[in-house]
Amino acid sequence: MPSTLRSPVGLGKAVCVLLGAVAVTDVLSIAAGVHSRMLLADGLDDGFLAVDEDALTLADNMYGTAGALQGLALLATGIVFIVWLRRVRRNAEVFDPYCHTLRPGWAVGAWFVPLANLWLPYRVATGVWTASLPAGTLADRGAAPRGVLNAWWAGMVATQILGRAAGGYYDRAEGGEEVVRGLDLVVASDALDIAAAVVAILFVRRLTAMQDLRARAGGFPAQETPLGARWGRAH
């Protein structure tokens, strides 16, 4: 069990900035997708597609660039988010080691287990959330509201499912009408991703603040005078 706490504040801020960048790239993707959709829809005539080739090429390039930016933003955000989650999980082990059903290493490993990654990271976050609540009886903390936590995970799962379904449909689309429907689905997926990013920011901010307050307040059930009653050097 770790004997010291390390502040998650700096990492939490970095995650929130990156989540904001994800939302911005989603907006760019929506704008490019709507432009392509309007171009294709206007060019449809009884199922046949008649669109200016140069305009279509430009629209495709814009859409591809937006998608590449999305991928980079998501990759960077995912890496920093997992580092932050590992930090708050290790802190939670000091706060209360009895709130967790999974060992600290699962804060990283849970994301890489096929299918189980739709549930295991939530179990990790639930334990961290409970352990990071103000000190009191375990029963009281276990019954504390988890609205932001649940909304974050619901948004995470929903955007993954819709995103994969929409991307698969768009990639398989052949005719003009199918491509238009595929673009509609991808735009809807990007809009949902923006909402999920906003909720994720609220979750990260809330949990980071909870741990900061808990560390300053003391009262750790794990040990009488924890070494981490004050943050370590990392802020």
Side-chain angles (χ1 to χ4, degrees), residues 36-37 39-51 169-170 172-185:
S36 295
R37 196 257 186 222
L39 187 66
L40 291 171
D42 290 343
L44 284 175
D45 183 15
D46 293 330
F48 294 96
L49 187 62
V51 181
Y169 185 93
Y170 178 76
R172 293 189 301 270
E174 296 181 356
E177 292 182 355
E178 287 188 358
V179 173
V180 169
R181 285 195 294 269
L183 286 170
D184 287 340
L185 289 174

Side-chain angles (χ1 to χ4, degrees), residues 10 30 61 117 144 158 186 207:
I30 288 174
N61 290 339
N117 57 13
V186 174
L207 184 51

Side-chain angles (χ1 to χ4, degrees), residues 123-134:
R123 287 181 59 187
V124 173
T126 298
V128 175
W129 184 273
T130 302
S132 303
L133 288 165

Side-chain angles (χ1 to χ4, degrees), residues 104-122:
W106 282 103
V108 177
W111 299 93
F112 301 99
V113 182
L115 296 181
N117 57 13
L118 294 175
W119 176 252
L120 289 181
Y122 175 75

Side-chain angles (χ1 to χ4, degrees), residues 89-175:
R89 174 60 182 87
R90 290 177 65 84
N91 287 341
E93 191 76 7
V94 178
F95 294 148
D96 193 334
Y98 306 108
C99 293
H100 313 283
T101 58
L102 296 172
R103 296 180 66 83
W106 282 103
V108 177
W111 299 93
F112 301 99
V113 182
L115 296 181
N117 57 13
L118 294 175
W119 176 252
L120 289 181
Y122 175 75
R123 287 181 59 187
V124 173
T126 298
V128 175
W129 184 273
T130 302
S132 303
L133 288 165
T137 65
L138 182 60
D140 289 341
R141 287 189 287 124
R146 299 178 181 177
V148 174
L149 168 66
N150 294 335
W152 158 68
W153 190 246
M156 175 79 71
V157 172
T159 193
Q160 289 296 317
I161 293 175
L162 180 58
R164 291 177 184 179
Y169 185 93
Y170 178 76
D171 290 339
R172 293 189 301 270
E174 296 181 356

Side-chain angles (χ1 to χ4, degrees), residues 23-80:
V24 170
T25 61
D26 286 334
V27 171
L28 294 177
S29 180
I30 288 174
V34 169
H35 174 67
S36 295
R37 196 257 186 222
M38 293 176 62
L39 187 66
L40 291 171
D42 290 343
L44 284 175
D45 183 15
D46 293 330
F48 294 96
L49 187 62
V51 181
D52 180 76
E53 185 174 348
D54 290 338
L56 185 59
T57 299
L58 178 60
D60 285 342
N61 290 339
M62 291 172 57
Y63 198 51
T65 300
L69 291 174
Q70 274 184 307
L72 289 173
L74 285 171
L75 177 61
T77 302
I79 292 172
V80 179

